[in-house]
Amino acid sequence: MASATTLFSSNPMFSTDHHSLSPSPTDPKSFTGLCKPFHSRVPTSIPFFHCRRPRFFVRATVIKWRCPKQTLPPKCDTGFQKKLLYLESIGIDSFSLIENHPMLITTSLADIKSTVEYITSMDFTAIEFRRMVGMCPEILTTQVSDIIPVFTFLHREVHVHGSDIKRVINRRPRLLVCSVSKQLRPTLYFLQSIGIEEVNKHTDLLSCSVEEKFMPRIDCFENIGFSRRDATSMFQRFPPLFCYSIKNNLEPKYSYFVVEMGRDLKELKEFPQYFSFSLENRIKPRHKKCVEMGVCFPLPALLKTSEARFQSRLDVCVNSSTPLKTSPLWCAGCDVYDV
C-alpha cells in the first residue's frame, strides 16, 4: 500500500480507474479506523508535449494516511491481520507499538508468540508483561535464543538470586534486549574494576554504555576539581550517580554547592548522595533556613532527615549554643548531627 495516493481531476489524458479510496478487503478494520485521510490541493505544472507555452495546471487531490510516523505494513495480508489480533488479544496496543518500534511489522507471528510464551512462563503476569513491552517494545522482536543468556548471566555472573530475577527485569526490562557479550558483561567488568562489588544491587546500570554514559560523568567530576581516584570513589560509594544528567543535575547542583553554599569539595566526596536530592525542593530551602538561623549542618543532617526532624534540630540549635563550622566540634558526633 502506498503512503500517498494522487487522484487527478477528470481529464481524458489521465485515467483514474486504478485509484480507489475504499480500503482493501484485507485491511484490518482497526487499521482503516486509525488511518484518517486528509486532503490538500496541490497545483501541478504539466508541460504540453515539448512546447514551453502555453502551460496548463491540473489540480491534484493528494490523500495521505495519518499513521504513526507514516509507517505502513508492506502488505496488509492475512498474516499481518493475525499478528495485530494476537497483540490485541494479550492487551497490547498494536499500532502504538508499531509507532515506537516499526521492526515489529517484519517480525513473524511465530517468533512473537515464542517470546511472549517464554517470558510469561518465567512467572511474569500479563499486566507486568504489558508494562515491560510498553517500556521496551524491542522485547517482542527479540529471539528467545537471545533472551535466555540474559537470565543465565544475571543469575550466574551478577549473582542475582532466582527470587529476585523478576524484580530486576521489572525494574529494567531493557536488560532483556541487551547482548551479554557486547553490553552486559563488559559493563559488569567495568563496575567491578572501580570497586563496585555488589553489582546485583545496581543491575539497572548494566544496560548503560560505559563509553557514552559512565566515562563522561567521571570526566565531569575530574573537570570540576576532583582527582580521578576521588571521582571514582564517589561513584563507588554511590553508583546511582551514573544515572544523573550532567546538564540538568550535576552541573547546577555543583554550582549551587560551591557558589551559594560555599562548601568544600571534601564534603561532596564523603556524601555524593547530595546529587540525589531536589535542588529546588530540598537543597535550596533548607540551606536558606540554615543561613537565616546562622546554623550550618553537615550535608547528611541537612538533607537526609525528614522535614519535621530537620525543623526540630534547627530549633534546638537556635535555642542553644551551636559550634561554628570552623570549630573542631562542628563534625563532632553529637545527636544534632546524627541522621
Side-chain angles (χ1 to χ4, degrees):
M1 181 183 294
S3 60
T5 304
T6 305
L7 300 179
F8 291 95
S9 58
S10 59
N11 189 306
M13 293 182 63
F14 303 98
S15 173
T16 58
D17 294 338
H18 60 286
H19 292 290
S20 175
L21 292 180
S22 60
S24 168
T26 60
D27 291 355
K29 293 182 180 179
S30 57
F31 184 85
T32 56
L34 176 75
C35 301
K36 300 178 181 179
F38 67 96
H39 300 73
S40 62
R41 286 300 206 180
V42 181
T44 306
S45 176
I46 307 293
F48 187 74
F49 298 106
H50 299 288
C51 300
R52 294 187 178 180
R53 285 193 177 88
R55 289 178 181 270
F56 64 90
F57 293 85
V58 177
R59 288 192 177 276
T61 302
V62 179
I63 294 183
K64 297 180 181 178
W65 297 100
R66 276 183 179 161
C67 289
K69 297 183 180 178
Q70 299 294 322
T71 302
L72 299 181
K75 185 177 180 181
C76 287
D77 54 13
T78 304
F80 185 73
Q81 292 184 50
K82 289 181 179 179
K83 190 186 303 183
L84 296 183
L85 290 173
Y86 174 73
L87 292 174
E88 296 291 342
S89 72
I90 60 177
I92 293 177
D93 183 351
S94 55
F95 285 104
S96 175
L97 195 66
I98 290 173
E99 178 181 11
N100 295 322
H101 191 51
M103 279 187 61
L104 188 67
I105 296 173
T106 57
T107 304
S108 70
L109 177 58
D111 287 342
I112 294 175
K113 282 186 175 181
S114 178
T115 298
V116 172
E117 290 169 1
Y118 176 76
I119 294 178
T120 52
S121 72
M122 302 295 287
D123 201 29
F124 289 94
T125 66
I127 294 177
E128 288 173 332
F129 181 76
R130 287 197 295 269
R131 175 181 172 275
M132 289 163 55
V133 172
M135 295 175 64
C136 183
E138 294 89 338
I139 289 176
L140 283 178
T141 56
T142 303
Q143 298 283 336
V144 172
S145 58
D146 294 325
I147 294 177
I148 293 175
V150 174
F151 284 104
T152 304
F153 168 80
L154 290 173
H155 181 62
R156 294 182 179 177
E157 298 186 45
V158 188
H159 306 298
V160 176
H161 295 296
S163 57
D164 292 331
I165 290 284
K166 183 178 174 181
R167 174 187 58 80
V168 167
I169 298 300
N170 271 323
R171 182 176 180 181
R172 188 66 171 174
R174 184 158 295 279
L175 289 168
L176 293 179
V177 302
C178 292
S179 166
V180 172
S181 59
K182 296 179 180 179
Q183 171 66 52
L184 300 179
R185 188 173 290 120
T187 303
L188 171 66
Y189 290 164
F190 173 81
L191 294 174
Q192 292 174 334
S193 71
I194 64 174
I196 301 177
E197 297 179 355
E198 296 180 313
V199 180
N200 55 359
K201 295 182 179 180
H202 308 284
T203 51
D204 52 315
L205 295 177
L206 292 171
S207 61
C208 300
S209 168
V210 174
E211 294 78 12
E212 297 178 7
K213 191 158 190 174
F214 294 170
M215 294 310 300
R217 283 154 181 77
I218 293 178
D219 293 339
C220 173
F221 280 93
E222 279 195 85
N223 293 335
I224 62 179
F226 290 97
S227 66
R228 171 61 69 123
R229 181 177 180 179
D230 288 344
T232 302
S233 71
M234 293 174 67
F235 288 93
Q236 176 187 352
R237 189 187 298 264
F238 187 58
L241 201 59
F242 279 124
C243 299
Y244 298 148
S245 166
I246 295 176
K247 181 179 180 180
N248 299 324
N249 187 311
L250 302 182
E251 289 181 349
K253 289 179 181 178
Y254 168 77
S255 177
Y256 187 82
F257 178 85
V258 174
V259 178
E260 300 296 332
M261 300 176 71
R263 301 233 184 185
D264 193 277
L265 292 182
K266 182 180 178 181
E267 291 186 71
L268 284 182
K269 176 187 173 183
E270 296 174 350
F271 189 68
Q273 293 89 337
Y274 163 83
F275 292 98
S276 66
F277 295 95
S278 169
L279 181 60
E280 298 298 330
N281 299 327
R282 180 64 68 93
I283 299 174
K284 285 184 178 182
R286 292 197 175 184
H287 170 68
K288 290 178 179 178
K289 284 185 179 181
C290 289
V291 172
E292 292 172 358
M293 300 297 182
V295 176
C296 188
F297 287 145
L299 289 179
L302 177 69
L303 301 174
K304 290 182 67 175
T305 56
S306 66
E307 191 63 33
R309 185 161 177 77
F310 170 75
Q311 189 61 49
S312 175
R313 289 177 173 179
L314 197 59
D315 293 339
V316 169
C317 290
V318 171
N319 297 323
S320 62
S321 177
T322 307
L324 298 174
K325 182 179 177 180
T326 54
S327 168
L329 296 177
W330 183 70
C331 292
C334 53
D335 179 70
V336 74
Y337 300 120
D338 292 339
V339 177

